[in-house]
C-alpha cells in the first residue's frame, strides 16, 4: 500500500468475514465496544454485518447487554431498528457539572406543539402544520430539521409538490421511545371534539398518490 492509499476501517464487513476467534462472550464485548465508540444509534443490520451474526442475534445481544446495565450509570436504549448506549437521565446534573456543560437546548412550547402535530399526523406538509397551529411555522420547522428531530419524507403529489415531514430516529431517542407505537394516546392532549373525526389530508392524499 503506497502513501496515497488509505484503508476504510469503518466499512462494515460482509457476513462471514468478521474477525475469527470471537466466542459468544467476545461477540457481546465487541457489540458493546461498537456502541460505545459510535456514540449514536446503530442499526441491528450494521451490527450484524460487522460481527458476522444475524440481525435476530444482534437484537438478542442488545437484550442481554440491556439487562446487564441494571443499576449502573449507563443504559442501552432501543431506537427504531437499532440501539444506542446512553447515560441515565438522573445523572445529567452531575455530567453537566463535570463537563462544564451549560443548561440549554430545551425545546420551546412552539417546537413541542409542532413536533406533536407531526408525530401524530405524519407525513404532513408545513401548510398543514400552519393550519393546525394557526400561525406561520416556517422557522420552527426549519429549527426542528436542523436539530434532526424531523426530516423530509418525500413530496406530496399535488401542484407545487410541497415537502412532507415526519419524525426521525433522533426524535425517538430524545423522547425515550423505541417506536412511534409507544406515543401516548393523542386524546391525552386534545379534547374529544378536536380528535373526533379528525383526518390528516396530507397523509390521505399521499396514500392515494402512492396507490395510483
Amino acid at each position: 500500500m503506497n502513501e496515497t492509499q488509505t484503508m476504510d476501517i469503518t466499512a462494515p464487513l460482509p457476513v462471514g468475514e468478521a474477525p475469527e476467534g470471537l466466542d459468544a462472550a467476545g461477540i457481546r464485548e465487541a457489540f458493546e465496544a461498537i456502541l460505545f465508540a459510535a456514540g449514536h444509534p446503530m442499526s441491528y443490520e450494521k451490527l450484524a454485518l460487522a460481527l458476522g451474526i444475524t440481525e435476530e442475534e444482534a437484537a438478542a445481544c442488545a437484550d442481554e447487554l440491556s439487562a446487564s446495565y441494571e443499576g449502573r450509570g449507563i443504559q442501552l436504549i432501543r431506537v427504531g431498528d437499532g440501539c444506542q448506549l446512553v447515560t441515565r437521565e438522573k445523572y445529567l446534573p452531575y455530567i453537566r457539572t463535570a463537563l462544564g456543560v451549560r443548561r440549554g437546548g430545551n425545546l420551546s412550547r412552539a417546537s413541542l406543539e409542532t413536533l406533536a402535530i407531526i408525530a401524530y399526523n405524519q407525513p404532513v406538509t408545513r401548510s398543514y402544520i400552519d393550519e393546525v397551529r394557526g400561525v406561520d411555522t416556517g422557522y420552527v420547522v426549519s429549527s426542528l430539521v436542523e436539530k434532526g428531530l424531523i426530516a423530509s419524507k418525500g413530496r406530496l403529489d399535488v401542484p407545487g409538490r410541497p415537502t412532507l415531514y415526519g419524525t426521525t430516529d433522533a426524535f425517538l431517542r430524545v423522547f425515550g421511545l423505541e417506536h412511534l407505537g409507544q406515543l401516548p394516546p393523542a386524546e391525552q392532549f386534545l379534547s374529544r371534539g378536536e380528535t373526533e373525526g379528525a383526518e390528516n389530508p396530507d397523509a390521505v392524499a399521499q396514500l392515494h398518490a402512492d396507490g395510483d
Side-chain angles (χ1 to χ4, degrees):
M1 181 178 293
N2 59 44
E3 293 182 354
T4 62
Q5 292 177 309
T6 58
M7 179 180 295
D8 184 2
I9 62 173
T10 63
L13 294 170
V15 174
E17 294 187 20
E20 297 180 359
L22 287 180
D23 55 13
I27 289 176
R28 285 194 297 272
E29 291 175 3
F31 189 100
E32 181 181 46
I34 293 171
L35 292 181
F36 180 83
H40 57 76
M42 291 289 294
S43 69
Y44 294 132
E45 179 183 12
K46 287 186 177 180
L47 288 162
L49 285 172
L51 297 170
I53 57 179
T54 66
E55 290 184 43
E56 291 73 17
E57 289 171 330
C61 193
D63 290 338
E64 291 184 32
L65 279 176
S66 179
S68 73
Y69 293 135
E70 289 297 327
R72 297 176 59 183
I74 59 175
Q75 61 183 330
L76 186 147
I77 62 171
R78 274 73 166 185
V79 183
D81 294 324
C83 56
Q84 179 183 7
L85 281 181
V86 299
T87 55
R88 293 195 184 277
E89 185 177 2
K90 66 180 180 180
Y91 298 121
L92 182 57
Y94 305 102
I95 295 171
R96 282 177 172 156
T97 299
L99 300 181
V101 177
R102 292 184 178 180
R103 182 181 295 275
N106 292 332
L107 293 173
S108 66
R109 180 183 179 85
S111 294
L112 288 172
E113 289 178 356
T114 301
L115 265 179
I117 293 168
I118 296 172
Y120 284 99
N121 299 279
Q122 60 187 307
V124 294
T125 58
R126 210 196 86 191
S127 62
Y128 174 76
I129 303 169
D130 290 350
E131 181 180 350
V132 174
R133 293 202 63 232
V135 296
D136 184 284
T137 59
Y139 175 79
V140 176
V141 169
S142 296
S143 175
L144 292 173
V145 170
E146 289 179 4
K147 288 180 171 66
L149 297 175
I150 64 171
S152 169
K153 301 297 180 178
R155 292 185 177 275
L156 189 61
D157 193 13
V158 297
R161 295 183 60 78
T163 299
L164 287 162
Y165 294 99
T167 55
T168 64
D169 283 349
F171 165 82
L172 295 176
R173 186 172 71 254
V174 167
F175 288 92
L177 304 172
E178 293 181 26
H179 51 78
L180 291 173
Q182 292 183 333
L183 283 169
E187 288 78 5
Q188 291 186 202
F189 308 103
L190 302 174
S191 68
R192 181 178 176 83
E194 290 175 304
T195 58
E196 205 167 80
E199 189 175 77
N200 171 8
D202 294 336
V204 172
Q206 184 63 32
L207 286 173
H208 288 315
D210 291 343
D212 291 342

